[in-house]
Amino acid sequence: MSVLIKNGIIGTAERSFRGDLLIEDEKIAAVGGSLYCGGAEVIDAAGRYLLPGGVDPHTHVMLRAGENSVSDGFAAATRAALFGGTTSVVEHPGFTAEEDPLARAVELTVAEGEGRSYTDFGVHLVFRRYDGNIARELPGLVSEGFPTGKVYTTYAGRLTDEEIFPLMLRMKEAGGLLFYHCENDAITNGLAAGFQRELPASCLCWPKSRPDYCEAEAVKRVLALSRAAEVPAYIVHLSTKAALDEVILARRAGQKVYVESCPQYLTLTDKCYEKENGLDYVMAPPLRGRGDCNRLWRALAQGDIDTVGTDHCSFSRADKTRLGAENVFLSPGGIPGIETRMELLFSEGVMKNRLSLERFVAVTATNPAAILGLDGKGRIEEGADADLILIDPAKSKRLSVDTLHQQVDYTPYEGITVTGCVTDVWLRGRHLIRDGALAESAPRGKFVKRAPARG
C-alpha cells in the first residue's frame, strides 16, 4: 500500500522545507510539494518534522563483561530504540575467546539479532589481537558486509601500537575503517590502583582515574599512527575539549578523522558522581565538566563532530551497586541511552538553538549512515529506504525509568524534560510506531550488509 505524508516540515542534512513525501513499498518514491497518489493512505504531518530515521553507530545491546550481562538484548533494546526514533543500529560485539577467529563475534551477533531486532542492524568487527590469521581473514569479512572494526587502547583486550599500525595497513588494503576507543591504559590503571589502596573507593574516584589528558594522549597517538599509515580514523565517544583539539590539529595537517560523541557528554557533567546514585554514571570515558560539554556543543554545530551515537550499554543499577558499592572499579561500566538519543538531541539542540535542524539530521542519521556504509539509510530522497520519523515540537515529556521502554532499572536522564517527541516511525515503509504506540508486535528489523565507508 502507498502512504502519502502531507504538509510536514521535511528535514535533510542540506535543507529543510515544507512538503509531502510518498512511500511505495519499502522506498521513498517522491518528495515535493502538492503530491497526489490515488488510493494512498494519507497522513497529515502539519506542524511536525518529517526526518530520516535515526542511525545509531555505536551500541552494545548484548554485551557480557565477565559474569555480568547487560539488561536488555536485541529485542528489548531495539524495540526501545524504535520508540525513540532510531531505525538502524550498528552493534559493537563483545570479545569472544582470544583464540577465536575474527568472524566468531560477528556471526554470534548476527544470529542473535536476526528475528529479534526491531530495527535494521549492522555489526562491527572487534579486534583483541592482530596476527597472521586475522590478516588473512580480514579482507573477506570486509567484502561480506563488515567494513568497520573497533580497536581498544585500554582494557584487557587492547591492542599495542605494534599491532595497531599493521592492522591499519591491512584494513586500508581491505577497504575498511577502524574505530578507536581512546584512553591511555597505563594512566587509567595506575591512577585506579592508587585509589584502591584504601577502600572504600567511591564513584568520586572514577573521573579522577580517567582525566581529560588520558583521552587526549591516546587520541594523539592513534592519529599519529593513522598519519603514518595514511588512513582515516574514527574516534568513538569523544568526551573532552583536550581530545577534540588533537583532532582539529590533525585535520589541519590534512588527515581524515571522523569524530563521534554521545548525548551523555553533551547533557550530563561530572557533578553526577556526587549524587547518592553516582554509580549509575560509571562509564568510560567518564562524564566531564560543563566547559567540555559547552565545547562539544559548539563542535557539533560547527561540523567538528560528525556523529552522535549512544554507546548504549545497559548494565543495571542493581549490578553496579552490588559490585561497586565498596570499590567503584569493580562496577560494570556503561549506561542505557538507545531510546533517548534522538529526543534529547532534538530538545537540547534544535529546540534550544544550539543545533540547526540540518545539523541534527546530519549527526543522527545522514553522517553515520554514509560513514558506516549503510546504503539507502539516513536520507530523504527518491529511492532511499523509507526509514522515517515524525517529531512533534509541541509535545513534551519527562524522561523516567517508569515511562521509557528500555529494559533496565534506571535512566541516567531521570527527571529531564524533553520538548519535541517522536510520534511516528516507519521502517522500510512499515508504520511501526503510530501516535506513540507500537503498531506491530513482531520485530521487523533485518541484518544489513554494509558497503565500504564513503562518508
Side-chain angles (χ1 to χ4, degrees), residues 100-188:
D100 279 347
L102 189 60
R104 178 65 173 160
V106 294
E107 289 170 351
L108 290 172
T109 305
V110 171
E112 185 68 22
E114 286 188 319
R116 296 182 178 90
S117 185
Y118 283 79
T119 66
D120 284 352
F121 71 98
V123 184
H124 296 287
L125 303 170
V126 62
F127 298 91
R128 67 177 305 171
R129 74 182 197 279
Y130 183 69
D131 57 23
N133 290 331
I134 300 296
R136 285 186 287 274
E137 192 181 1
L138 182 55
L141 287 168
V142 170
S143 67
E144 290 165 13
F146 305 96
T148 53
K150 189 173 184 182
V151 170
Y152 291 86
T153 65
T154 189
Y155 303 134
R158 68 188 180 278
L159 298 191
T160 65
D161 291 357
E162 290 76 17
E163 292 172 297
I164 292 172
F165 186 73
L167 173 57
M168 286 176 168
L169 296 175
R170 188 59 169 162
M171 198 64 153
K172 179 182 178 180
E173 292 173 354
L177 176 67
L178 290 175
F179 287 41
Y180 301 92
H181 175 131
C182 291
E183 293 180 289
N184 182 293
D185 188 68
I187 292 172
T188 62

Coordinates of all heavy atoms in Angstrom, one line a residue, residues 100-188:
D100 N 39.7 -17.3 19.2 CA 38.7 -17.4 18.1 C 39.0 -16.6 16.9 O 39.7 -15.6 17.0 CB 37.4 -16.8 18.7 CG 36.6 -17.8 19.6 OD1 37.0 -19.0 19.6 OD2 35.7 -17.4 20.2
P101 N 38.5 -17.1 15.7 CA 38.7 -16.3 14.5 C 37.9 -15.0 14.6 O 37.0 -14.8 15.4 CB 38.1 -17.2 13.4 CG 37.2 -18.1 14.1 CD 37.8 -18.3 15.5
L102 N 38.3 -14.0 13.8 CA 37.6 -12.7 13.8 C 36.1 -12.8 13.6 O 35.3 -12.0 14.1 CB 38.3 -11.8 12.8 CG 38.0 -10.3 12.8 CD1 38.3 -9.6 14.1 CD2 38.7 -9.6 11.6
A103 N 35.8 -13.7 12.7 CA 34.4 -13.9 12.3 C 33.5 -14.3 13.5 O 32.2 -14.2 13.4 CB 34.3 -14.9 11.2
R104 N 34.0 -14.9 14.5 CA 33.2 -15.6 15.5 C 32.2 -14.6 16.2 O 31.0 -14.8 16.3 CB 34.1 -16.2 16.6 CG 33.4 -16.8 17.8 CD 32.5 -18.0 17.3 NE 32.0 -18.7 18.5 CZ 30.9 -19.5 18.4 NH1 30.4 -19.8 17.2 NH2 30.5 -20.1 19.5
A105 N 32.7 -13.4 16.6 CA 31.9 -12.4 17.3 C 30.8 -11.9 16.4 O 29.6 -11.7 16.8 CB 32.8 -11.3 17.8
V106 N 31.1 -11.6 15.1 CA 30.0 -11.1 14.2 C 29.0 -12.2 13.9 O 27.8 -11.9 13.8 CB 30.6 -10.4 13.0 CG1 31.4 -9.2 13.4 CG2 31.4 -11.4 12.1
E107 N 29.4 -13.4 13.7 CA 28.5 -14.5 13.5 C 27.5 -14.7 14.6 O 26.3 -14.8 14.4 CB 29.3 -15.8 13.2 CG 30.0 -15.8 11.9 CD 30.9 -17.0 11.7 OE1 31.1 -17.7 12.7 OE2 31.5 -17.2 10.6
L108 N 28.0 -14.6 15.8 CA 27.1 -14.8 17.0 C 26.2 -13.6 17.1 O 25.0 -13.8 17.4 CB 28.0 -14.8 18.3 CG 28.8 -16.1 18.5 CD1 29.7 -15.9 19.7 CD2 27.9 -17.3 18.7
T109 N 26.6 -12.4 16.8 CA 25.8 -11.2 16.9 C 24.7 -11.2 15.8 O 23.5 -10.9 16.1 CB 26.7 -9.9 16.7 OG1 27.7 -10.0 17.7 CG2 25.8 -8.7 17.0
V110 N 25.1 -11.6 14.6 CA 24.0 -11.6 13.5 C 23.0 -12.7 13.9 O 21.8 -12.5 13.7 CB 24.7 -12.0 12.2 CG1 23.6 -12.2 11.1 CG2 25.6 -10.8 11.7
A111 N 23.4 -13.8 14.4 CA 22.5 -14.9 14.7 C 21.6 -14.5 15.9 O 20.4 -14.8 15.9 CB 23.3 -16.2 15.2
E112 N 22.1 -13.7 16.8 CA 21.3 -13.2 17.9 C 20.3 -12.1 17.4 O 19.1 -12.1 17.9 CB 22.2 -12.6 19.0 CG 21.5 -12.2 20.3 CD 20.9 -13.3 21.1 OE1 21.4 -14.4 20.9 OE2 20.0 -13.1 21.9
G113 N 20.7 -11.3 16.5 CA 19.8 -10.2 16.1 C 18.7 -10.6 15.1 O 17.6 -10.1 15.1
E114 N 19.0 -11.6 14.2 CA 18.0 -12.0 13.2 C 16.8 -12.6 13.8 O 16.8 -13.5 14.7 CB 18.7 -13.0 12.2 CG 19.7 -12.3 11.3 CD 20.2 -13.3 10.2 OE1 20.4 -14.5 10.5 OE2 20.3 -12.8 9.0
G115 N 15.7 -12.0 13.5 CA 14.4 -12.5 14.0 C 14.0 -11.8 15.3 O 12.9 -12.0 15.8
R116 N 15.0 -11.1 15.9 CA 14.7 -10.4 17.2 C 14.8 -8.9 17.2 O 14.2 -8.3 18.1 CB 15.7 -10.9 18.3 CG 15.6 -12.4 18.6 CD 16.6 -12.8 19.7 NE 16.5 -14.2 20.0 CZ 17.2 -15.2 19.5 NH1 18.0 -14.9 18.5 NH2 17.0 -16.4 19.8
S117 N 15.4 -8.4 16.2 CA 15.7 -6.9 16.1 C 14.5 -6.2 15.6 O 13.9 -6.5 14.5 CB 16.9 -6.6 15.3 OG 17.2 -5.2 15.4
Y118 N 14.1 -5.1 16.3 CA 13.0 -4.2 15.8 C 13.5 -3.2 14.8 O 12.7 -2.5 14.2 CB 12.3 -3.6 17.0 CG 11.4 -4.5 17.7 CD1 11.8 -5.4 18.6 CD2 10.0 -4.4 17.5 CE1 11.0 -6.3 19.3 CE2 9.1 -5.3 18.2 CZ 9.6 -6.2 19.1 OH 8.8 -7.1 19.7
T119 N 14.8 -2.9 14.8 CA 15.4 -2.0 13.9 C 16.3 -2.8 12.9 O 16.7 -4.0 13.2 CB 16.3 -1.0 14.6 OG1 17.5 -1.7 15.2 CG2 15.6 -0.2 15.7
D120 N 16.6 -2.2 11.8 CA 17.6 -2.8 10.9 C 19.0 -2.7 11.7 O 19.2 -1.8 12.5 CB 17.7 -2.1 9.6 CG 16.6 -2.6 8.7 OD1 15.8 -3.5 9.0 OD2 16.4 -1.9 7.6
F121 N 19.9 -3.6 11.4 CA 21.1 -3.6 12.2 C 22.3 -4.1 11.3 O 22.2 -5.0 10.5 CB 21.0 -4.4 13.5 CG 21.0 -5.9 13.3 CD1 22.1 -6.7 13.4 CD2 19.8 -6.6 12.9 CE1 22.1 -8.1 13.2 CE2 19.7 -7.9 12.8 CZ 20.9 -8.7 12.9
G122 N 23.5 -3.5 11.6 CA 24.7 -3.9 11.1 C 25.6 -4.3 12.3 O 25.2 -4.1 13.4
V123 N 26.8 -4.9 12.0 CA 27.7 -5.3 13.1 C 29.1 -4.9 12.7 O 29.6 -5.1 11.6 CB 27.6 -6.9 13.2 CG1 28.5 -7.3 14.4 CG2 26.2 -7.4 13.4
H124 N 29.8 -4.4 13.7 CA 31.2 -4.0 13.6 C 32.0 -5.3 13.9 O 31.6 -6.1 14.7 CB 31.6 -3.0 14.6 CG 30.9 -1.6 14.5 ND1 31.3 -0.8 13.4 CD2 30.0 -1.0 15.2 CE1 30.5 0.3 13.6 NE2 29.8 0.2 14.6
L125 N 33.2 -5.3 13.3 CA 34.2 -6.3 13.8 C 34.8 -5.7 15.1 O 34.7 -4.6 15.4 CB 35.3 -6.4 12.7 CG 34.9 -6.8 11.3 CD1 36.1 -6.7 10.4 CD2 34.5 -8.3 11.3
V126 N 35.4 -6.6 15.9 CA 36.1 -6.2 17.1 C 37.4 -7.0 17.2 O 37.5 -8.2 17.0 CB 35.2 -6.3 18.3 CG1 34.9 -7.8 18.6 CG2 35.9 -5.7 19.6
F127 N 38.5 -6.2 17.5 CA 39.8 -6.8 17.5 C 40.4 -6.9 18.9 O 40.4 -5.9 19.6 CB 40.8 -6.0 16.6 CG 40.4 -5.9 15.2 CD1 39.6 -4.8 14.7 CD2 40.9 -6.8 14.3 CE1 39.2 -4.7 13.4 CE2 40.5 -6.7 12.9 CZ 39.7 -5.7 12.5
R128 N 40.8 -8.1 19.3 CA 41.5 -8.3 20.6 C 42.9 -8.8 20.4 O 43.7 -9.0 21.3 CB 40.8 -9.2 21.5 CG 40.7 -10.6 21.1 CD 40.0 -11.4 22.2 NE 40.6 -11.2 23.5 CZ 40.0 -11.7 24.7 NH1 38.9 -12.3 24.7 NH2 40.7 -11.5 25.8
R129 N 43.3 -9.0 19.1 CA 44.7 -9.3 18.7 C 44.8 -9.0 17.3 O 43.8 -8.9 16.5 CB 45.0 -10.8 19.0 CG 44.4 -11.8 18.1 CD 44.7 -13.2 18.5 NE 44.5 -14.1 17.3 CZ 43.3 -14.6 17.0 NH1 42.2 -14.3 17.7 NH2 43.2 -15.4 16.0
Y130 N 46.1 -8.9 16.8 CA 46.3 -8.9 15.4 C 47.5 -9.8 15.1 O 48.6 -9.6 15.6 CB 46.6 -7.4 14.9 CG 46.8 -7.4 13.4 CD1 45.7 -7.6 12.6 CD2 48.1 -7.2 12.8 CE1 45.9 -7.6 11.2 CE2 48.2 -7.2 11.4 CZ 47.1 -7.4 10.6 OH 47.3 -7.4 9.3
D131 N 47.3 -10.8 14.2 CA 48.3 -11.7 13.8 C 48.0 -12.1 12.4 O 47.2 -11.6 11.7 CB 48.3 -12.9 14.8 CG 47.0 -13.6 14.9 OD1 46.2 -13.5 13.9 OD2 46.8 -14.3 15.9
G132 N 48.8 -13.1 11.9 CA 48.7 -13.6 10.5 C 47.3 -14.1 10.2 O 46.8 -13.9 9.1
N133 N 46.7 -14.8 11.2 CA 45.3 -15.4 10.9 C 44.3 -14.3 10.7 O 43.5 -14.4 9.8 CB 44.9 -16.3 12.1 CG 45.7 -17.5 12.1 OD1 46.2 -18.1 11.1 ND2 45.9 -18.1 13.3
I134 N 44.4 -13.2 11.5 CA 43.5 -12.1 11.4 C 43.7 -11.4 10.1 O 42.8 -11.0 9.4 CB 43.6 -11.1 12.6 CG1 43.3 -11.8 13.9 CG2 42.7 -9.9 12.4 CD1 41.9 -12.3 14.1
A135 N 45.0 -11.2 9.7 CA 45.3 -10.6 8.4 C 44.7 -11.3 7.3 O 44.2 -10.7 6.3 CB 46.8 -10.5 8.3
R136 N 44.8 -12.6 7.3 CA 44.2 -13.4 6.2 C 42.7 -13.4 6.2 O 42.1 -13.4 5.1 CB 44.7 -14.9 6.3 CG 46.1 -15.1 5.9 CD 46.5 -16.5 5.9 NE 46.6 -17.1 7.2 CZ 47.7 -17.0 8.0 NH1 48.8 -16.4 7.5 NH2 47.8 -17.5 9.2
E137 N 42.1 -13.3 7.3 CA 40.6 -13.4 7.4 C 39.9 -12.0 7.1 O 38.8 -12.0 6.6 CB 40.2 -13.8 8.9 CG 38.8 -14.1 9.1 CD 38.6 -14.5 10.6 OE1 39.5 -14.5 11.4 OE2 37.4 -14.9 10.9
L138 N 40.6 -10.9 7.4 CA 40.0 -9.6 7.4 C 39.4 -9.2 6.0 O 38.3 -8.7 6.0 CB 41.1 -8.6 7.8 CG 40.6 -7.1 7.9 CD1 39.4 -7.0 8.8 CD2 41.7 -6.2 8.5
P139 N 40.1 -9.3 4.9 CA 39.6 -8.8 3.6 C 38.2 -9.5 3.3 O 37.3 -8.8 2.8 CB 40.6 -9.1 2.6 CG 41.9 -9.2 3.4 CD 41.5 -9.8 4.7
G140 N 38.1 -10.8 3.5 CA 36.9 -11.4 3.2 C 35.7 -10.9 4.1 O 34.6 -10.8 3.5
L141 N 35.9 -10.6 5.3 CA 34.9 -10.1 6.2 C 34.4 -8.7 5.8 O 33.2 -8.4 5.8 CB 35.3 -10.1 7.6 CG 35.4 -11.5 8.3 CD1 36.1 -11.4 9.6 CD2 34.0 -12.0 8.5
V142 N 35.4 -7.9 5.4 CA 35.1 -6.5 4.9 C 34.2 -6.6 3.7 O 33.1 -6.0 3.5 CB 36.3 -5.7 4.6 CG1 36.0 -4.4 3.9 CG2 37.1 -5.4 5.9
S143 N 34.5 -7.5 2.7 CA 33.8 -7.7 1.5 C 32.4 -8.3 1.7 O 31.5 -8.1 0.9 CB 34.6 -8.5 0.5 OG 34.7 -9.8 0.9
E144 N 32.3 -9.0 2.8 CA 31.0 -9.7 3.2 C 30.0 -8.8 3.9 O 28.9 -9.2 4.3 CB 31.3 -11.0 4.0 CG 31.9 -12.1 3.2 CD 32.5 -13.2 4.0 OE1 32.2 -13.2 5.3 OE2 33.3 -14.0 3.5
G145 N 30.4 -7.5 4.1 CA 29.4 -6.6 4.7 C 29.8 -6.1 6.1 O 28.9 -5.6 6.8
F146 N 31.1 -6.3 6.5 CA 31.5 -5.9 7.8 C 32.7 -5.0 7.7 O 33.9 -5.3 8.0 CB 31.9 -7.1 8.7 CG 30.8 -8.1 8.9 CD1 30.8 -9.2 8.0 CD2 29.8 -7.9 9.8 CE1 29.8 -10.2 8.1 CE2 28.8 -8.9 9.9 CZ 28.8 -10.0 9.1
P147 N 32.5 -3.7 7.1 CA 33.7 -2.9 6.7 C 34.3 -2.0 7.9 O 35.2 -1.3 7.6 CB 33.1 -2.0 5.7 CG 31.6 -1.8 6.1 CD 31.3 -3.1 6.7
T148 N 33.7 -2.2 9.1 CA 34.3 -1.4 10.2 C 34.6 -2.3 11.3 O 34.0 -3.3 11.6 CB 33.2 -0.3 10.7 OG1 32.0 -1.0 11.0 CG2 33.0 0.8 9.6
G149 N 35.7 -1.9 12.1 CA 36.1 -2.7 13.2 C 36.7 -1.8 14.3 O 37.2 -0.7 14.1
K150 N 36.5 -2.3 15.6 CA 36.8 -1.5 16.7 C 38.1 -2.0 17.4 O 38.3 -3.2 17.5 CB 35.7 -1.5 17.8 CG 35.9 -0.5 18.9 CD 34.7 -0.5 19.8 CE 34.8 0.5 20.9 NZ 33.6 0.5 21.8
V151 N 38.9 -1.0 17.8 CA 40.2 -1.2 18.5 C 40.1 -0.5 19.8 O 39.7 0.7 19.9 CB 41.4 -0.7 17.6 CG1 42.7 -0.7 18.4 CG2 41.5 -1.5 16.4
Y152 N 40.6 -1.2 20.9 CA 40.7 -0.6 22.2 C 42.1 -0.3 22.5 O 43.0 -1.1 22.3 CB 40.1 -1.5 23.2 CG 38.6 -1.7 23.2 CD1 38.1 -2.7 22.3 CD2 37.7 -1.0 23.9 CE1 36.7 -2.9 22.3 CE2 36.4 -1.2 23.9 CZ 35.9 -2.1 23.1 OH 34.5 -2.3 23.0
T153 N 42.3 0.9 23.1 CA 43.7 1.2 23.6 C 43.8 1.0 25.1 O 44.8 1.3 25.7 CB 44.1 2.7 23.2 OG1 43.2 3.6 23.9 CG2 44.0 2.9 21.7
T154 N 42.7 0.5 25.7 CA 42.7 0.2 27.1 C 41.9 -1.1 27.3 O 41.4 -1.6 26.3 CB 42.1 1.3 28.0 OG1 42.3 1.0 29.4 CG2 40.7 1.6 27.7
Y155 N 41.8 -1.6 28.5 CA 41.2 -2.9 28.9 C 42.1 -4.1 28.5 O 43.1 -3.9 27.8 CB 39.8 -3.1 28.2 CG 38.8 -2.0 28.5 CD1 38.1 -1.4 27.5 CD2 38.6 -1.5 29.8 CE1 37.1 -0.4 27.7 CE2 37.7 -0.5 30.1 CZ 36.9 0.0 29.0 OH 36.0 1.0 29.3
A156 N 41.7 -5.2 29.0 CA 42.5 -6.4 28.7 C 42.6 -6.8 27.3 O 43.6 -7.4 26.9 CB 41.9 -7.6 29.5
G157 N 41.6 -6.4 26.5 CA 41.7 -6.8 25.1 C 42.2 -5.7 24.2 O 42.0 -5.7 23.0
R158 N 43.0 -4.8 24.8 CA 43.6 -3.7 24.0 C 44.7 -4.2 23.0 O 45.3 -5.2 23.3 CB 44.2 -2.6 24.9 CG 45.4 -3.1 25.7 CD 45.9 -2.1 26.7 NE 47.1 -2.5 27.4 CZ 47.1 -3.4 28.4 NH1 45.9 -3.9 28.9 NH2 48.2 -3.7 29.0
L159 N 44.9 -3.4 22.0 CA 46.0 -3.7 21.1 C 47.1 -2.7 21.4 O 46.9 -1.5 21.7 CB 45.6 -3.5 19.6 CG 44.5 -4.4 19.1 CD1 44.4 -4.3 17.6 CD2 44.7 -5.9 19.5
T160 N 48.3 -3.2 21.2 CA 49.5 -2.3 21.3 C 49.7 -1.5 20.0 O 49.2 -1.8 19.0 CB 50.8 -3.1 21.5 OG1 51.0 -4.0 20.4 CG2 50.6 -4.0 22.8
D161 N 50.5 -0.5 20.1 CA 50.9 0.3 18.9 C 51.4 -0.6 17.8 O 51.2 -0.4 16.6 CB 51.9 1.4 19.2 CG 51.3 2.5 20.1 OD1 50.0 2.4 20.4 OD2 52.0 3.4 20.5
E162 N 52.2 -1.6 18.2 CA 52.9 -2.5 17.3 C 51.9 -3.4 16.6 O 52.2 -3.9 15.5 CB 53.9 -3.4 18.0 CG 55.1 -2.6 18.5 CD 54.9 -1.7 19.7 OE1 53.9 -1.9 20.4 OE2 55.7 -0.8 20.0
E163 N 50.7 -3.6 17.2 CA 49.6 -4.3 16.5 C 48.7 -3.4 15.7 O 48.3 -3.7 14.6 CB 48.8 -5.1 17.5 CG 49.5 -6.2 18.2 CD 48.7 -6.8 19.4 OE1 48.4 -6.0 20.3 OE2 48.3 -7.9 19.3
I164 N 48.5 -2.2 16.2 CA 47.6 -1.3 15.6 C 48.1 -0.8 14.2 O 47.3 -0.8 13.2 CB 47.3 0.0 16.5 CG1 46.5 -0.5 17.7 CG2 46.5 1.0 15.7 CD1 46.4 0.6 18.8
F165 N 49.4 -0.5 14.1 CA 49.9 0.0 12.9 C 49.7 -1.0 11.7 O 49.2 -0.6 10.6 CB 51.3 0.5 13.0 CG 51.9 1.2 11.8 CD1 51.4 2.5 11.5 CD2 52.8 0.6 11.0 CE1 51.9 3.1 10.3 CE2 53.3 1.2 9.8 CZ 52.8 2.5 9.5
P166 N 50.2 -2.2 11.8 CA 50.0 -3.1 10.7 C 48.5 -3.4 10.4 O 48.1 -3.7 9.3 CB 50.8 -4.4 11.1 CG 50.9 -4.3 12.5 CD 51.0 -2.8 12.9
L167 N 47.7 -3.4 11.5 CA 46.2 -3.6 11.3 C 45.7 -2.4 10.4 O 44.8 -2.7 9.5 CB 45.5 -3.7 12.6 CG 44.0 -3.7 12.6 CD1 43.5 -4.9 11.7 CD2 43.4 -3.8 14.0
M168 N 46.1 -1.2 10.7 CA 45.7 -0.1 9.9 C 46.0 -0.3 8.4 O 45.2 -0.1 7.5 CB 46.4 1.2 10.4 CG 45.9 1.8 11.7 SD 46.9 3.2 12.1 CE 46.0 3.9 13.4
L169 N 47.2 -0.8 8.1 CA 47.6 -1.0 6.8 C 46.8 -2.1 6.1 O 46.4 -2.0 4.9 CB 49.1 -1.4 6.7 CG 50.1 -0.3 7.2 CD1 51.5 -0.9 7.2 CD2 50.0 0.9 6.3
R170 N 46.5 -3.2 6.9 CA 45.7 -4.3 6.3 C 44.3 -3.8 6.1 O 43.7 -4.2 5.1 CB 45.8 -5.5 7.3 CG 45.1 -6.7 6.7 CD 45.8 -7.1 5.4 NE 45.4 -8.5 5.0 CZ 45.5 -9.0 3.8 NH1 46.1 -8.2 2.8 NH2 45.1 -10.2 3.5
M171 N 43.7 -3.0 7.0 CA 42.4 -2.5 6.8 C 42.3 -1.6 5.6 O 41.3 -1.6 4.9 CB 41.9 -1.8 8.1 CG 40.4 -1.6 8.2 SD 39.5 -3.2 8.4 CE 38.1 -2.7 9.3
K172 N 43.3 -0.8 5.4 CA 43.4 0.0 4.3 C 43.3 -0.8 3.0 O 42.6 -0.4 2.0 CB 44.7 0.9 4.3 CG 44.9 1.8 3.1 CD 46.2 2.5 3.3 CE 46.5 3.5 2.1 NZ 47.9 4.1 2.3
E173 N 44.1 -1.9 2.9 CA 44.1 -2.7 1.7 C 42.7 -3.3 1.5 O 42.3 -3.5 0.4 CB 45.1 -3.9 1.9 CG 46.6 -3.4 1.9 CD 47.5 -4.5 2.2 OE1 47.0 -5.6 2.6 OE2 48.7 -4.4 2.1
A174 N 42.0 -3.7 2.6 CA 40.7 -4.3 2.5 C 39.6 -3.3 2.2 O 38.5 -3.7 1.8 CB 40.4 -5.0 3.8
G175 N 39.9 -2.0 2.4 CA 38.8 -1.0 2.1 C 37.9 -0.7 3.3 O 36.8 -0.2 3.1
G176 N 38.4 -1.0 4.5 CA 37.6 -0.8 5.7 C 38.0 0.4 6.5 O 38.9 1.1 6.1
L177 N 37.4 0.6 7.6 CA 37.6 1.7 8.5 C 37.7 1.2 10.0 O 36.8 0.5 10.4 CB 36.5 2.7 8.4 CG 36.5 4.0 9.3 CD1 37.7 4.9 8.9 CD2 35.2 4.7 9.2
L178 N 38.7 1.7 10.7 CA 38.9 1.3 12.1 C 38.3 2.4 13.0 O 38.5 3.6 12.8 CB 40.4 1.1 12.4 CG 41.0 -0.1 11.8 CD1 42.5 -0.2 12.1 CD2 40.3 -1.4 12.3
F179 N 37.7 1.9 14.1 CA 37.1 2.8 15.1 C 38.0 2.6 16.4 O 38.5 1.5 16.6 CB 35.7 2.3 15.5 CG 34.7 2.7 14.5 CD1 34.9 2.6 13.1 CD2 33.4 3.1 14.9 CE1 33.9 2.9 12.2 CE2 32.4 3.5 14.0 CZ 32.7 3.3 12.6
Y180 N 38.2 3.7 17.2 CA 39.1 3.6 18.3 C 38.5 4.1 19.6 O 38.0 5.2 19.6 CB 40.4 4.4 18.0 CG 41.1 4.0 16.8 CD1 40.8 4.6 15.5 CD2 42.1 3.0 16.8 CE1 41.5 4.2 14.4 CE2 42.7 2.6 15.6 CZ 42.4 3.2 14.4 OH 43.0 2.7 13.3
H181 N 38.5 3.3 20.6 CA 38.3 3.7 22.0 C 39.6 4.2 22.5 O 40.5 3.4 22.7 CB 37.8 2.5 22.8 CG 37.6 2.8 24.3 ND1 36.4 2.5 24.9 CD2 38.4 3.4 25.2 CE1 36.5 2.9 26.2 NE2 37.7 3.4 26.4
C182 N 39.7 5.5 22.8 CA 41.0 6.1 23.1 C 41.1 6.5 24.6 O 40.5 7.5 25.0 CB 41.2 7.4 22.2 SG 41.4 7.0 20.5
E183 N 41.8 5.7 25.3 CA 42.3 6.1 26.7 C 43.6 5.5 26.9 O 43.8 4.3 26.5 CB 41.3 5.6 27.7 CG 39.9 6.3 27.7 CD 39.0 5.8 28.8 OE1 38.5 4.7 28.7 OE2 38.7 6.6 29.8
N184 N 44.5 6.1 27.6 CA 45.8 5.6 27.9 C 45.7 4.6 29.0 O 45.3 4.9 30.2 CB 46.7 6.7 28.3 CG 48.1 6.2 28.6 OD1 48.4 5.5 29.5 ND2 49.1 6.7 27.8
D185 N 46.0 3.3 28.7 CA 45.8 2.2 29.7 C 46.7 2.4 30.9 O 46.2 2.1 32.0 CB 46.0 0.9 29.0 CG 45.7 -0.3 29.8 OD1 44.5 -0.5 30.0 OD2 46.6 -1.0 30.3
A186 N 47.9 2.8 30.7 CA 48.8 2.9 31.9 C 48.3 4.0 32.8 O 48.4 3.8 34.1 CB 50.2 3.2 31.4
I187 N 47.8 5.1 32.3 CA 47.3 6.1 33.2 C 46.1 5.6 34.0 O 46.0 5.8 35.2 CB 47.0 7.4 32.4 CG1 48.2 8.0 31.8 CG2 46.2 8.4 33.2 CD1 48.0 9.2 30.8
T188 N 45.1 5.1 33.2 CA 43.9 4.6 33.9 C 44.2 3.6 35.0 O 43.7 3.7 36.1 CB 42.9 4.0 32.9 OG1 43.4 2.9 32.3 CG2 42.5 5.1 31.9

